[in-house]
Amino acid sequence: MARHSKSIELRHLRYFVAAAEHGSFRKAGVVLGRSQSAISRCIVDLEDRLGASLFHRHAWGVSQTFAGQRFLHRARRAIRTISEGANEVTAAGRSEQGRVRIGIYSSIASGFLAELLYTYGLRHGNVRIELVDGNPEEHVAAIRQFRLDVAFLTGDRDWPGCDRAQLWSERVFVVLPDRHPLAARAELSWPDLTEEPFIVSEAAPGQEIHDHLVRELASLGRRPEIQVQSVGRDNLLPLVAIGRGLTLVSEAMTVAMLPGITYRPIKGEILPFSAVWSPRNDNPPLRRILAMARVASAKSTKIR
């Protein structure tokens, strides 16, 4: 029996179970939308493959043989297992379950990314969202190894082996003590900042902020004073409040209204944000969040 069972098809099981439950090939055919002869031929084929008779044939219908009775519960279990598996795959395809792993490089306190994650959670509540903080190089390496599904990164750099879609942009703000003389201005420019000390976090995106400050202020002939602090982004702002130096944040971060600090935009400084992912990643929740991100990006562009 084991020798032949490998070639058994789902239709064999379905037809057999229907005939056993209804006691008739004709009635099974009515339920399944097949002819009596089609049911009969399929059952005979199944019996040939198994090497055992499954039914006694009578003028009034069919009844199961001992082998048929033993095979019935296994056939039902096999059909149930296949059905459950198909339902799981279908649900995953609709992003109703599963997991999406997201690398972030900016605050999700507000703005485009916060709204995207909120909306995605509402529509696909059974999908587990995992957020990973880190720098772009770490995120892209994880994407290539399928340890991350997508990363939302600053800039417009193309990464080999990855796809990228620019989605939104944010203004760049200086964080300064609210008693600082520059706090009286509504907007700042880079020349205003040439003599100011800065602090950045050792954690991401500290290195990018460091490089951005060096690039912008060096073009004005000034090598900025930048201290690296071994704290996270959230603990960096209280250091600004007590006068340890200024720092930069993207617009989404400015919703953090901590005592003693003030946010002022830098004129003309716009930071683009992109989604980066592997084109070989076919995770359905990833495809769904990318589709939603593109729609949201198109809507925000029209509004502007």
Side-chain angles (χ1 to χ4, degrees), residues 49 190 207 256 271 273 275:
R49 296 183 186 213
W190 286 113
Q207 185 61 50
L271 195 60
F273 284 82

Side-chain angles (χ1 to χ4, degrees), residues 40-55:
S40 179
R41 286 196 303 271
C42 185
I43 296 299
V44 169
D45 186 37
L46 175 60
E47 291 174 327
D48 288 343
R49 296 183 186 213
L50 292 174
S53 295
L54 299 175
F55 291 105

Side-chain angles (χ1 to χ4, degrees), residues 3-66:
R3 182 177 67 253
H4 301 286
S5 61
K6 292 182 180 179
S7 61
I8 293 174
E9 301 173 13
L10 179 58
R11 65 184 178 90
H12 290 123
L13 302 180
R14 293 177 60 241
Y15 290 7
F16 165 70
V17 170
E21 290 177 345
H22 294 281
S24 165
F25 291 165
R26 182 185 62 80
K27 292 179 180 178
V30 171
V31 172
L32 296 174
R34 306 291 292 179
S35 68
Q36 178 178 343
S37 60
I39 300 295
S40 179
R41 286 196 303 271
C42 185
I43 296 299
V44 169
D45 186 37
L46 175 60
E47 291 174 327
D48 288 343
R49 296 183 186 213
L50 292 174
S53 295
L54 299 175
F55 291 105
H56 297 296
R57 276 72 169 176
H58 309 285
W60 47 264
V62 295
S63 61
Q64 297 167 67
T65 63
F66 177 71

